Amino acid sequence: MAASASAFSTVAPITPFVSTLPAEWSTPVDEGATIPSVVFKTRTRIESEDENPFDWKDLTTEDLFKGKRCVIFSLPGAFTPTCSSSHLPGFEKAYEEMKSLGVDEIYCLSANDAFVMRQWGLKQGLTEDKTLGSLGFEKVKLLPDGACQFTRGMGMSCVWDSERGFGERSWRYSAVFNDMKVEKMFIEDGGVTQNFGPDPFEVTDSDTMLEYLKSC
């Protein structure tokens, strides 16, 4: 027993997580900039009797955005309060109207994996697209950025450690991408703040985006 107690007494203390990111990962790109070229690890529907009829499919930034005009909104996390109560539902409701204003597709991006994003969409009541090869849902498409590669390239990466225990996530923003370039971008609080207490949601909502699209 004495030896056991001695062994426990020598255990080193846990080192606190340090939320230091390279400056370029948290410095938003400018309007007019080319968006980052990355690979998104998605799940696509296949012909199967399994309860999870999906398989992996790599999609590049070019696959999704080249030659297209798309709306994207990015948020800190699936299943989180503002993202679930306001951000995603607003764009889902405005989907058809945005499409009528010269938009090819609307994407919701979060630093979560494809499994989490699908379950969140189901929980939100999004209508599934059950055609083979689909990305999961009929209207807003949920785009997983689990490794934060796209988020870092957009300069929108932030860490909530002591504040929420999230780890690295995306700062809340919305944008219009036009043939791989940033046509317009709305960023909450004017820029990225690490480990920020508030969760601002003032300029990245669907109404603000609709107002911009109607003004073009």
Side-chain angles (χ1 to χ4, degrees):
M1 291 295 293
S4 178
S6 175
F8 278 113
S9 67
T10 61
V11 174
I14 297 173
T15 302
F17 180 77
V18 179
S19 58
T20 302
L21 299 176
E24 61 269 24
W25 292 1
S26 301
T27 304
V29 300
D30 295 326
E31 292 178 358
T34 300
I35 62 176
S37 182
V38 304
V39 175
F40 294 98
K41 297 291 184 178
T42 72
R43 302 278 290 173
T44 187
R45 187 173 286 273
I46 60 173
E47 190 168 2
S48 172
E49 298 299 321
D50 189 81
E51 65 178 1
N52 186 22
F54 296 88
D55 201 357
W56 291 106
K57 183 176 183 179
D58 285 356
L59 288 174
T60 66
T61 304
E62 290 76 11
D63 292 330
L64 297 171
F65 302 115
K66 188 173 179 58
K68 300 173 185 176
R69 187 173 185 242
C70 298
V71 165
I72 187 169
F73 61 103
S74 188
L75 39 81
F79 292 101
T80 56
T82 302
C83 306
S84 299
S85 64
S86 302
H87 212 170
L88 175 55
F91 278 86
E92 179 75 1
K93 183 179 179 180
Y95 182 85
E96 298 297 348
E97 186 173 4
M98 287 186 185
K99 293 264 289 185
S100 74
L101 294 170
V103 171
D104 293 299
E105 193 54 272
I106 296 102
Y107 293 95
C108 172
L109 182 140
S110 182
N112 296 106
D113 62 65
F115 297 101
V116 169
M117 294 295 274
R118 177 170 185 265
Q119 289 303 315
W120 183 43
L122 295 175
K123 182 71 173 179
Q124 288 289 108
L126 305 188
T127 303
E128 281 195 277
D129 182 353
K130 295 187 177 182
T131 58
L132 299 183
S134 79
L135 288 181
F137 299 100
E138 290 185 354
K139 293 185 178 181
V140 173
K141 308 304 184 290
L142 305 185
L143 198 57
D145 187 31
C148 292
Q149 296 301 302
F150 190 82
T151 297
R152 292 172 180 177
M154 288 292 293
M156 301 301 294
S157 183
C158 59
V159 171
W160 285 282
D161 48 13
S162 62
E163 183 57 39
R164 292 180 178 85
F166 277 2
E168 187 179 1
R169 299 294 180 97
S170 173
W171 189 254
R172 200 182 297 277
Y173 70 95
S174 64
V176 178
F177 296 160
N178 197 338
D179 193 21
M180 298 285 291
K181 293 189 180 296
V182 180
E183 174 186 319
K184 181 66 177 179
M185 188 151 66
F186 299 95
I187 305 172
E188 291 297 344
D189 209 44
V192 178
T193 302
Q194 301 298 326
N195 206 33
F196 199 42
D199 181 17
F201 182 55
E202 303 292 336
V203 299
T204 61
D205 59 293
S206 57
D207 287 343
T208 300
M209 180 58 72
L210 278 171
E211 184 178 348
Y212 168 72
L213 293 172
K214 290 175 181 178
S215 72
C216 297

